[in-house]
Amino acid sequence: MNILLIGSGGREHALAWKLTQSPLCTSLYIAPGNPGTAASGINVDIKINDFAAIKSFCLSHDISMIVVGPEAPLVDGLTDFFRQEDTKHIGIIGPSAYAAQLEGSKAFAKKFMQKYNIPTAVSMEVHAGNMEEGQRFLESMQAPYVLKADGLAAGKGVMIIDGIQEAKTMLREMLSGKFGKASDTVVIETFLKGIEFSVFALTDGKNYLLLPEAKDYKRIGTGDTGLNTGGMGAVSPVSFADEELWQKVIDRIVKPTISGIYAEKMDYTGFVFFGLINVDGDPYVIEYNCRMGDPETEAVLPRVKSDWVQLLQAAVEGRLDKQSIETDDRYAVTVMLVSGGYPEDYAKNKVIQGLDGIEDSLLFHAGTAAFNGDIVTSGGRVLAVTTLHPDFKEAVRISMQNADKIQYEGKYYRNDIGFDL
Ligand code: AMP
Ligand code: GLY
């Protein structure tokens, strides 16, 4: 079958790499893709929010399945758009706009979790009309205070604040448009102390399969310091996710979430990304995403041995109950190379050297572009280096060694990925 993959980051390069390993994939197209995905398929110059152009491309290229990488087109209704008469034969990996609110609206996700008794931080939804009540709720809590913009805010909408006065000021600022419309509603919640990890399910809206879990390294600085980023590295499996914790995750979180999706009649074929926190052995949901993680995908997919297209096709056809997933026991360690200055302002178009010298690792392009015969940087997160190895420390060492070999002006990576485990 012909497949169209939407997106252009490291996650999409890993997805492209995995999709083309399947004998079921005849042609893979990536819109818009990057120089890495061009090695697995054909990049097409279509923007991810240009639904009309995506549709006409699908019809003229006999596309049978669309795999949506990022959340934005899902929240904007790409799946719903394709449910029309002339395109409804095309399978889509990615939920409807209504279901994508599990990621796109923190308040929606909180209501869902409360309804289905899924463990998460105690919270309150605040808008202009009940701001004073929100201030009182803050006063009743203990520091630190967690304030979340309801809508998508490019990963910047979560504030964790130590002082009560600062928290009250922040609430007022958020409600007055600090994140535009995204913070017209703010969710205040209690701070959960623990260690975070990510669990991924592929669902057909009723059944699900679990993918290998991962741990993401969110902060820019070594030792988990500095600003939050999209993710500076990932490891899979996660050593503290033992059988007991897994069972709790499945019983208390995964099963009730999938049954909730089914009970609500959500049009949901695709990934549920559970952002979890382990609080003294008990898992809580920090957030849902309606897509795979980045850079988690670059660590998780290399550990999936099963035919990826076969699994996705089974999800589209609602028969995941008849599938299983085979995983590689080796450790995967992903180190992200970023542009100097990221996650704040950074320079682009720096020539990248050393890409051919990588041995024993996979290299996924994230923010790169082809320019005058060179590969240059074009984003904050530039390249992901993933190593699979039976020995965790070796996997870490080889990823770092290869990260060292790549050169461009301003290159930075965290040299402590996996050191805490
Ligand atoms: P989110 O966008 O909801 O995933 O939040 C971004 C980050 O903020 C998370 O990855 C956590 O590190 C942190 N965070 C969010 N909510 C909480 C909470 N209730 N308690 C502690 N940390 C949180
Ligand atoms: N790495 C976190 C995310 O993809 O949301």
Side-chain angles (χ1 to χ4, degrees), residues 339-356:
S339 296
Y342 173 79
E344 297 185 282
D345 290 344
Y346 54 85
K348 291 184 186 176
N349 299 317
K350 302 296 177 190
V351 175
I352 305 172
Q353 276 160 338
L355 294 173
D356 297 335

Side-chain angles (χ1 to χ4, degrees), residues 216 230 273 289 291 293-296:
D216 178 18
F273 167 155
N289 294 310
R291 49 157 177 95
D294 194 351
E296 291 92 332

Side-chain angles (χ1 to χ4, degrees), residues 278-296:
N278 176 15
V279 182
D280 300 324
D282 289 317
Y284 289 78
V285 179
I286 292 272
E287 64 164 350
Y288 287 120
N289 294 310
C290 60
R291 49 157 177 95
M292 286 296 290
D294 194 351
E296 291 92 332

Side-chain angles (χ1 to χ4, degrees), residues 149-196:
D150 174 55
L152 294 180
K156 298 192 174 126
V158 175
M159 299 289 156
I160 298 179
I161 297 172
D162 286 324
I164 179 71
Q165 286 316 324
E166 289 84 343
K168 286 165 118 182
T169 306
M170 179 57 71
L171 177 62
R172 208 172 312 117
E173 284 176 10
M174 288 174 84
L175 292 173
S176 329
K178 185 176 170 68
F179 298 102
K181 275 193 75 61
S183 63
D184 279 357
T185 298
V186 172
V187 172
I188 303 176
E189 63 180 40
T190 53
F191 181 82
L192 298 173
K193 197 167 162 37
I195 179 159
E196 288 176 62

